[in-house]
Amino acid sequence: MSQSRRWQIQGFTLDHVAQACQGQGDVHRYHVLPPYSLRMTAELRDLLEASAGQAKRCLNAEIVARLEESFEREAVVQPLSEHEAAMQVLAKMYQETQDKINELKSMPSLSPMEQVELLHEEATAKYLRQAAARASMAPGDRPARSKRGSMPSPQPQPQPQIEISDLTPNDDSLYLEAARCVVSSRRCSVSAVQRQLKIGYNRAARLIEALEDDCVISAPNAEGSRHLLTPQQRSAARLLPSKAEIEQQRKQEELALRTAYLVEKYDDQSIVQAILKEKIWEGMTAAQLFDSAGEPEAIDQKYMKNKSREVWKYDHEGRNRYLLRVTLENGLVVGWDSRS
């Protein structure tokens, strides 16, 4: 094999060899490797040969050039930080949720299950917006360590400025006084309020819960302790739904799910509404009674020649005393006895 052919196999063109002979260029900067077999598909080899022909270089030089370009591109790309990645995930989840909401709202009519799904998607979108708002806040930087590796002495935190006039009205006459005590002493425990105001424990606990609902203090952490909220934290906390709103939304979802279940089971709106109002009527079946009044605490059964009789008992008060007794014959309600 000629010398020029060996140069071409090793990745150099004849122009490179000529420049090296004239003292130009730097052929020796390449690591000369012996020829080796590289497995690839015929389509990939055709693409590489076409690209090498356009660049006027051999196949090996084309492969080396493309590898160098790929490593240069990887060096330029900067990975996303955890905060940026989290924001991208929240944005993607929010967009998918909004698309689902728009799809459901564009439908001409919604079934009960689709209405429940729409409520769920709207609640999810609301929580994602709030999570994105919290994530967009600048996180507190971790304190730097000293040369010996010990943590620096903690800096005194500024005392939160709480506007007493900003509180919501409360039926308890000591609510404003409890707020002043908590802000001045920076102690948010029930026992501290109980000692300072000289009141009972239950009343102090209600005052602490009211201050939490009013975003003056935080919710208890895993250890059960609370802390005062800064004005920025109060503003962010007021964007979140309250406990009452969360509980109301949960009840609405449960009611929608139960309504959908009853409609699918009985396919009669009048029966469904009567069951939801926990009514009892003559002729209702045992299944309807179970869905309306729930599982009985006791059942008396008696089987006769032509019929069977059952007495379902609810609200046990004492020995064989119940506030509600419902009589069924052959699986249908024939009467009931209710005592208030």
Side-chain angles (χ1 to χ4, degrees):
M1 181 182 295
S2 64
Q3 182 67 24
S4 61
R5 181 56 181 165
R6 284 196 296 270
W7 280 112
Q8 289 180 355
I9 292 176
Q10 293 173 358
F12 305 103
T13 62
L14 295 178
D15 294 336
H16 293 150
V17 177
Q19 292 176 4
C21 294
Q22 297 174 5
Q24 303 173 1
D26 188 9
V27 177
H28 297 286
R29 72 184 181 91
Y30 295 94
H31 294 280
V32 179
L33 300 175
Y36 61 92
S37 60
L38 180 63
R39 296 181 181 180
M40 66 180 71
T41 62
E43 294 81 1
L44 179 59
R45 184 179 182 86
D46 294 340
L47 292 174
L48 287 173
E49 289 179 350
S51 178
Q54 293 178 358
K56 296 182 179 179
R57 53 191 175 192
C58 66
L59 185 61
N60 195 18
E62 178 68 21
I63 295 174
V64 172
R66 288 188 173 274
L67 288 174
E68 290 178 349
E69 291 176 1
S70 65
F71 283 113
E72 290 175 359
R73 285 196 299 269
E74 289 181 0
V76 172
V77 176
Q78 297 293 335
L80 295 176
S81 64
E82 293 184 2
H83 180 71
E84 293 173 344
M87 292 296 294
Q88 285 190 1
V89 172
L90 287 175
K92 183 178 180 181
M93 293 175 62
Y94 178 75
Q95 185 61 40
E96 293 176 353
T97 306
Q98 283 295 124
D99 294 342
K100 186 63 177 178
I101 292 174
N102 296 333
E103 179 183 352
L104 291 173
K105 288 185 176 180
S106 62
M107 299 175 66
S109 60
L110 297 178
S111 64
M113 294 301 295
E114 291 172 342
Q115 293 176 3
V116 174
E117 185 178 2
L118 179 59
L119 288 174
H120 177 73
E121 295 295 339
E122 290 177 345
T124 303
K126 183 177 180 180
Y127 290 145
L128 287 175
R129 286 197 303 269
Q130 295 164 357
R134 292 193 300 270
S136 62
M137 299 178 184
D141 297 331
R142 182 176 296 178
R145 292 184 178 272
S146 61
K147 293 182 179 179
R148 292 185 179 181
S150 60
M151 298 294 293
S153 58
Q155 299 295 331
Q157 297 294 332
Q159 183 173 355
Q161 300 296 329
I162 304 297
E163 294 290 340
I164 301 299
S165 59
D166 195 22
L167 300 176
T168 56
N170 193 282
D171 296 336
D172 198 320
S173 59
L174 293 178
Y175 181 60
L176 293 178
E177 187 65 24
R180 293 190 184 97
C181 293
V182 168
V183 172
S184 60
S185 64
R186 299 178 60 82
R187 301 184 65 183
C188 311
S189 63
V190 177
S191 58
V193 175
Q194 180 186 7
R195 287 193 299 268
Q196 292 179 6
L197 300 182
K198 298 180 180 180
I199 58 178
Y201 183 86
N202 293 335
R203 187 177 182 183
R206 289 194 298 269
L207 290 173
I208 287 293
E209 291 178 356
L211 290 173
E212 179 188 345
D213 294 338
D214 216 0
C215 301
V216 176
I217 60 178
S218 67
N221 56 15
E223 299 176 354
S225 60
R226 305 171 184 264
H227 64 272
L228 283 176
L229 297 180
T230 62
Q232 293 79 9
Q233 291 173 337
R234 291 192 70 195
S235 301
R238 286 181 172 178
L239 296 176
L240 301 176
S242 62
K243 291 182 179 179
E245 293 174 347
I246 294 175
E247 182 65 19
Q248 182 181 4
Q249 181 180 357
R250 184 188 65 81
K251 290 182 178 179
Q252 290 178 354
E253 292 182 355
E254 289 182 355
L255 179 60
L257 286 173
R258 190 175 182 219
T259 303
Y261 164 74
L262 294 175
V263 168
E264 184 179 359
K265 184 176 181 179
Y266 298 110
D267 196 16
D268 190 334
Q269 287 293 337
S270 60
I271 294 178
V272 170
Q273 294 301 322
I275 291 176
L276 291 176
K277 295 178 181 179
E278 299 182 355
K279 291 184 177 181
I280 300 176
W281 66 92
E282 292 186 3
M284 71 183 308
T285 63
Q288 295 170 354
L289 177 60
F290 186 89
D291 290 332
S292 178
E295 183 178 0
E297 298 182 27
I299 299 178
D300 290 343
Q301 297 178 338
K302 185 177 181 180
Y303 296 97
M304 293 171 281
K305 185 175 182 180
N306 296 327
K307 61 182 178 181
S308 63
R309 175 175 293 180
E310 294 181 352
V311 179
W312 290 19
K313 302 176 182 180
Y314 297 90
D315 302 331
H316 184 240
E317 272 199 333
R319 182 177 180 181
N320 200 24
R321 288 187 300 175
Y322 297 88
L323 296 180
L324 177 62
R325 297 168 181 259
V326 183
T327 304
L328 295 87
E329 291 185 358
N330 296 331
L332 298 177
V333 175
V334 296
W336 62 91
D337 182 15
S338 178
R339 299 178 182 179
S340 58

